Amino acid sequence: MSADLILYTHPMSRGRTVRWLLEEIGVPYQTEYLTYSLAMKTPEYLAINPMGKVPALVHHDVVITETAAICAYLADAFPQAKLSPALDDPQRGTYLRWLFFAAGPLESAIVNRTLGLLTPVDKEAMVGYGNMQRLLSTLNHALSQGDYLLGDRLSAADIYLGSALNWYLYMQQIEAQPLIQDYCARLRQRPACIRAAAIDDALLVKPEFALPE
């Protein structure tokens, strides 16, 4: 394993998304596992991520936190994997659009609804997603354009969005609509996704990785 690329994670965390991306890229990396306890609040780890959360990625001397940012960074840092369009590629804008749609409006909408925080109709202009109906309509339109967000071309935006949607479906936080289900099933069948999930799933049986009650 290479100490030049270190993933700090927990086997049941958003770090699963980053591991999947790393497996798609196919470069060696080192994994540092942290438990949901004081391990994420030690001075050593807080120096890496002051939020005291995972995932975090260290690449040489660069520290990246926030899952969407890690995905964007890795896709650009390893262009040979072709998981992000180049700066002069016309699809670059579409790629960034849906990557940050998933990190912003989609996550905000799901979290607010899960917490019972319903936006009054006259206040919808204040939130990035407007309302759930508009958000789902926008998402379905994006997924109707091809197998992936860029048509027939997988990108880091698919890995980030697909990971989120798979979790929301599992937790029954989003409607199981046909386009969403087909998209998630297609992504789950990718060999890198299967490999990554197997690595993390194998650790979940260990007592130290039990989720907090």
Side-chain angles (χ1 to χ4, degrees), residues 3-213:
D4 292 337
L5 194 58
I6 306 172
L7 170 64
Y8 293 84
T9 188
H10 182 283
M12 184 55 79
S13 74
R14 297 170 194 239
R16 294 174 73 99
T17 303
V18 179
R19 186 188 298 286
W20 174 13
L21 181 56
L22 286 166
E23 291 294 321
E24 289 279 358
I25 293 171
V27 294
Y29 61 95
Q30 176 180 327
T31 305
E32 294 289 339
Y33 295 102
L34 286 81
T35 57
Y36 283 122
S37 63
L38 296 179
M40 294 187 192
K41 303 297 187 289
T42 63
E44 292 78 12
Y45 185 65
L46 290 176
I48 295 170
N49 187 358
M51 292 291 288
K53 295 183 177 183
V54 292
L57 187 81
V58 177
H59 184 213
H60 300 299
D61 295 326
V62 179
V63 176
I64 314 99
T65 65
E66 313 316 314
T67 309
I70 295 173
C71 289
Y73 176 90
L74 283 172
D76 285 347
F78 298 95
Q80 68 273 19
K82 299 182 179 179
L83 290 173
S84 65
L87 291 176
D88 59 352
D89 189 321
Q91 287 192 309
R92 178 78 177 182
T94 302
Y95 159 75
L96 291 173
R97 173 188 183 183
W98 296 118
L99 178 62
F100 292 103
F101 173 88
L106 177 60
E107 180 167 342
S108 295
I110 296 298
V111 170
N112 283 354
R113 185 165 72 171
T114 301
L115 295 177
L117 303 175
L118 301 180
T119 305
V121 175
D122 63 337
K123 303 294 184 185
E124 288 179 355
M126 297 178 64
V127 295
Y129 58 87
N131 59 56
M132 186 61 69
Q133 181 179 358
R134 186 181 308 158
L135 181 133
L136 288 175
S137 176
T138 301
L139 177 60
N140 274 289
H141 177 73
L143 299 182
S144 71
Q145 303 305 298
D147 284 350
Y148 304 111
L149 292 166
L150 302 181
D152 61 355
R153 176 181 180 183
L154 179 79
S155 73
D158 292 295
I159 294 171
Y160 184 82
L161 175 62
S163 294
L165 289 176
N166 268 310
W167 177 251
Y168 299 150
L169 287 172
Y170 174 74
M171 297 296 293
Q172 299 183 338
Q173 294 172 321
I174 196 170
E175 289 79 357
Q177 299 179 352
L179 280 172
I180 295 174
Q181 287 181 303
D182 290 348
Y183 175 71
C184 288
R186 189 178 306 119
L187 290 169
R188 287 196 304 269
Q189 293 169 2
R190 293 191 62 83
C193 182
I194 295 170
R195 285 197 308 273
I199 293 169
D200 283 318
D201 288 347
L203 293 168
L204 290 177
V205 299
K206 297 187 176 183
E208 61 266 36
F209 294 122
L211 298 179
E213 297 180 357

